[in-house]
Amino acid sequence: MKNEFVSSVFRNIAELLEINEDNPFRIRAYIRAADNLDALKIDIEDMIAEKKLEDVPGIGHDLASKIKEIVKTGTCQQYEDLKKIIPEGVVALLQVPSVGPQSARLFFDKLKIASIDELKTAATKGKLSGLPGIKDKSVANILKGITLLEKGLRDMDVLTATTVAEGFVEKLRALAKKEKIVPAGSLRRMKDGIHDVDILIASNHPQEIIASFLAGPGVKKILAQGPAKSSILTDSDQQVDLRVFKPQSFGAGLIYFTGSKNHNIRLRQLAIKKDYKINEYGVFDKKNKCMASKTEEEVYKALGLDFIPPELREDTGEIEAALNHELPELISLGDIKGDFHVHTNYSDGENSIEEMARRAHELGYQYICLTDHSASLKIARGLSPADLKKKKKEIEKVQKRLKKIRILFGTEVEIDAQGSLDYKDSVLKEFDLVVAAIHSGFKQSKEQLTRRIVRACENKYVHIIAHPTGKLRVTRDSYEIDFKEILKVARQTNTALEINAHPYRMDLSDIYARAAKDNGVRCAIDTDAHNTGHLEYMKFGVGLARRGWLEKQNVLNSLSLPELLKTIKK
Ligand SMILES: [Zn+2]
Ligand SMILES: [Zn+2]
């Protein structure tokens, strides 16, 4: 299907037109057409063949002819003409959070800035200040945005890293059928932001494995190669390191290459205290006799430690806890009984109520809460009170067919700029469960943003605050909030804070999740799914919760259905 390609060209044209300060209606027309093409379930080439292109909403004669041109030639004249006026590097500037079309144009016109690197240099050298409308604070924001972008683009999110790792593990599985193959490194620790993928294999035939790994598909460039290790770049420029260990030293290798660096330093110190030595092959005594190496458990035990789950290996107290046999019993995916934050095609989701509920049942859940957006979030087709009545009726209908999973009637209600909610209390009380969220007005002061969340917690119909700090991996840092104050109020009002498991969000962070636990505030791990596939992001949220030391009792959706219904009753 070329739908996606055509819509991406339309979006690029819209950006170029914006920088070029073209007619806003024209710009809007391209964006709308791109949205409609993305939502279209029919192949655009079929529509051209059947001469039905102009049936698509928002596509008139002019855009239809451009679509045909793009499908046929891969581009269109208007796009090419615009690119001659505005270099592509100027469009790239829009990726920097806080740089809009107007400032991109300004930087290009006044300083000939046509790349992110050039923007960074100019900002650092103080050349941006003094341009019309650019204050010192804007320059600071631009630099902050560039740092965030560079980091976000350099590191993989957990979904990308998992997908890359699984692809290679599957290929290697054909060679080493019974051997252990484990993705290690920061991916195994479920860190948000993964620099490269490390894969470890236990095998007595390293050369065979390395040779076939390097010859396999998906390898663009070999970065390094040795008898038992190699490093490559994938077709999409992700770095994958493969290391082969003898089965008898696999445990030691796994600890070594899972990290973190700080955790391993502590292990080395503990070994020295015992007059031992530890490396990637095992724990050895003074006479070089191997004390432990085959499994991680054995290696930890030799150092006097309980087994430490990978997600805790950051030297943030796990060593002390393992020495004292006080490690937490971390939440696991199997403990999760449902998902509270899920969209359907009533708002901006792709699947129906029934499809979402069926998939949740297949995942073994006891309940699913369908939280479409509230009325004021127009871009996400928020629901009016009339829509809500219709949705409630449909849930009741589907519930009659699906007896084995409880479908909860929910909402993701907007918290407005003052902290009021988008629905009146008389509407809110009709929901089984209410998730409240901020989607706009991020530029307010720390006090104002905190106040908004606090007020939402104080509403007795609100159960959960969604993505509480508003961060997006590449494009938006957390907004500034007084998290201590929020924890205090969340505890008083028995409001749960969400761990949003969507790979682009991962919000709360591990540090905040742990603070929630330490302050007696419950978390809810939600996927924010917009289609049935997204429901499987739960594993990423659980990984993050484990990094935050969360146990079953700290997580709202570990409750069974009867327990949950009791808890959310207001
Ligand atoms: Zn949201
Ligand atoms: Zn949502």
Side-chain angles (χ1 to χ4, degrees):
M1 288 228 301
K2 287 194 173 159
N3 301 23
E4 212 174 297
F5 177 71
V6 176
S7 81
S8 74
V9 174
F10 276 8
R11 281 185 212 285
N12 292 348
I13 291 176
E15 283 183 335
L16 286 163
L17 289 172
E18 251 191 303
I19 298 173
N20 211 19
E21 292 174 343
D22 209 285
N23 177 345
F25 291 104
R26 202 153 151 228
I27 298 168
R28 191 65 219 135
Y30 276 102
I31 296 173
R32 209 178 133 221
D35 286 344
N36 291 333
L37 287 175
D38 285 341
L40 200 66
K41 301 227 158 61
I42 311 163
D43 195 326
I44 210 167
E45 284 172 286
D46 293 343
M47 300 204 66
I48 294 174
E50 290 163 24
K51 298 199 165 45
K52 284 188 173 159
L53 217 43
E54 287 177 41
D55 293 353
V56 181
I59 294 186
H61 185 68
D62 176 52
L63 288 180
S65 70
K66 288 208 170 71
I67 293 175
K68 284 184 223 159
E69 195 184 345
I70 296 167
V71 168
K72 207 169 151 194
T73 67
T75 183
C76 67
Q77 197 53 48
Q78 192 200 8
Y79 185 35
E80 294 305 312
D81 291 345
L82 279 166
K83 282 199 282 189
K84 277 180 209 144
I85 308 172
I86 298 155
E88 262 175 276
V90 180
V91 181
L93 299 181
L94 298 181
Q95 289 177 44
V96 179
S98 85
V99 174
Q102 276 180 349
S103 23
R105 180 72 201 230
L106 178 75
F107 300 150
F108 178 60
D109 284 348
K110 300 277 179 200
L111 301 168
K112 291 275 156 283
I113 291 173
S115 74
I116 293 173
D117 278 345
E118 286 169 9
L119 180 64
K120 191 177 173 182
T121 313
T124 320
K125 289 189 175 161
K127 289 196 174 151
L128 301 184
S129 336
L131 289 176
I134 304 292
K135 298 178 204 125
D136 286 349
K137 200 178 165 203
S138 347
V139 178
N141 281 338
I142 288 170
L143 281 170
K144 218 169 113 188
I146 293 175
T147 311
L148 189 71
L149 183 71
E150 285 174 339
K151 198 174 161 303
L153 294 178
R154 195 181 58 223
D155 293 346
M156 287 172 260
D157 60 77
V158 276
L159 173 63
T160 307
T162 304
T163 311
V164 171
E166 281 173 356
F168 280 98
V169 168
E170 200 179 305
K171 277 174 222 156
L172 292 164
R173 182 60 65 207
L175 287 167
K177 287 192 181 64
K178 287 182 190 153
E179 307 290 18
K180 286 188 184 128
I181 309 176
V182 182
S186 39
L187 174 58
R188 187 161 179 247
R189 304 200 315 277
M190 291 301 274
K191 205 171 161 224
D192 184 19
I194 294 153
H195 191 52
D196 50 31
V197 168
D198 295 284
I199 300 176
L200 257 60
I201 301 193
S203 168
N204 287 315
H205 312 283
Q207 266 146 338
E208 258 171 62
I209 291 189
I210 297 287
S212 116
F213 171 67
L214 295 177
V219 177
K220 182 161 104 180
K221 191 175 163 196
I222 299 172
L223 299 174
Q225 187 179 354
K229 64 177 181 187
S230 70
S231 193
I232 60 111
L233 271 192
T234 69
D235 293 335
S236 331
D237 290 323
Q238 291 122 351
Q239 189 179 327
V240 179
D241 297 340
L242 177 74
R243 290 165 213 278
V244 190
F245 277 86
K246 293 231 156 63
Q248 66 263 31
S249 52
F250 191 69
L254 199 49
I255 288 180
Y256 191 87
F257 286 106
T258 296
S260 64
K261 212 164 142 192
N262 290 341
H263 177 82
N264 287 353
I265 289 173
R266 293 294 307 277
L267 296 185
R268 230 170 295 150
Q269 289 167 347
L270 280 178
I272 291 167
K273 261 197 199 158
K274 288 184 179 292
D275 248 350
Y276 290 162
K277 180 181 92 184
I278 181 172
N279 59 27
E280 65 261 52
Y281 303 107
V283 179
F284 302 88
D285 73 2
K286 271 203 144 158
K287 291 175 189 153
N288 237 359
K289 186 182 154 213
C290 182
M291 310 300 291
S293 63
K294 195 170 179 197
T295 68
E296 289 185 307
E297 283 82 357
E298 284 169 23
V299 173
Y300 279 119
K301 201 174 164 204
L303 300 175
L305 299 166
D306 290 342
F307 173 79
I308 301 175
E311 297 90 341
L312 297 187
R313 299 181 195 172
E314 300 290 345
D315 188 24
T316 53
E318 77 281 8
I319 302 279
E320 290 71 17
L323 280 169
N324 298 324
H325 312 295
E326 284 170 354
L327 281 168
E329 213 172 291
L330 298 180
I331 178 102
S332 69
L333 191 57
D335 294 325
I336 300 297
K337 307 279 193 322
D339 197 331
F340 296 125
H341 183 168
V342 168
H343 297 268
T344 72
N345 56 10
Y346 266 80
S347 62
D348 57 346
E350 293 163 37
N351 290 98
S352 67
I353 288 175
E354 178 154 2
E355 286 164 338
M356 294 309 272
R358 278 191 191 278
R359 185 72 197 119
H361 173 57
E362 283 165 14
L363 291 171
Y365 292 160
Q366 299 179 7
Y367 46 85
I368 181 167
C369 182
L370 305 174
T371 52
D372 288 298
H373 291 288
S374 63
S376 75
L377 199 63
K378 292 274 186 309
I379 51 162
R381 305 204 301 128
L383 270 56
S384 69
D387 299 329
L388 289 174
K389 281 204 182 100
K390 210 175 123 199
K391 184 181 163 187
K392 196 173 182 183
K393 274 215 176 96
E394 188 175 334
I395 288 181
E396 284 162 8
K397 240 168 72 190
V398 174
Q399 187 71 82
K400 279 186 192 142
R401 289 199 290 272
L402 298 181
K403 297 250 159 46
K404 288 188 177 145
I405 181 159
R406 176 67 181 269
I407 308 168
L408 299 168
F409 175 48
T411 178
E412 179 177 12
V413 66
E414 290 299 297
I415 304 172
D416 78 6
Q418 280 74 45
S420 303
L421 299 178
D422 202 13
Y423 293 132
K424 285 185 281 196
D425 281 1
S426 58
V427 176
L428 289 175
K429 77 174 199 305
E430 294 297 317
F431 294 105
D432 296 312
L433 187 139
V434 173
V435 175
I438 291 180
H439 292 107
S440 61
F442 308 114
K443 285 189 179 150
Q444 287 182 329
S445 69
K446 184 173 173 180
E447 290 71 29
Q448 283 169 314
L449 280 157
T450 306
R451 183 82 200 116
R452 286 164 78 183
I453 297 179
V454 163
R455 278 198 60 202
C457 289
E458 283 166 351
N459 182 304
K460 67 172 177 173
Y461 297 109
V462 171
H463 299 93
I464 298 168
I465 303 294
H467 38 76
T469 77
K471 80 184 173 96
L472 291 178
R473 269 208 81 237
V474 179
T475 51
R476 195 166 67 219
D477 219 345
S478 310
Y479 35 69
E480 275 192 77
I481 44 171
D482 181 347
F483 197 63
K484 258 193 190 156
E485 175 70 13
I486 288 169
L487 286 176
K488 195 181 90 191
V489 180
R491 195 169 82 163
Q492 282 163 0
T493 56
N494 198 16
T495 312
L497 298 182
E498 182 178 77
I499 291 179
N500 191 296
H502 197 293
Y504 296 158
R505 285 201 183 264
M506 301 298 266
D507 175 14
L508 298 175
S509 67
D510 45 8
I511 294 169
Y512 278 168
R514 192 165 170 186
K517 174 186 177 177
D518 291 343
N519 285 277
V521 172
R522 240 192 305 220
C523 290
I525 310 175
D526 299 330
T527 60
D528 206 347
H530 282 68
N531 62 43
T532 50
H534 292 166
L535 288 170
E536 282 169 60
Y537 292 163
M538 187 58 82
K539 56 177 181 265
F540 303 132
V542 170
L544 202 162
R546 288 167 67 88
R547 286 181 62 81
W549 291 54
L550 262 54
E551 302 180 85
K552 215 174 140 177
Q553 66 268 24
N554 309 123
V555 176
L556 189 62
N557 41 331
S558 75
L559 295 180
S560 69
L561 178 63
E563 288 169 330
L564 176 79
L565 293 178
K566 238 187 281 161
T567 309
I568 61 179
K569 214 168 136 191
K570 293 252 165 167

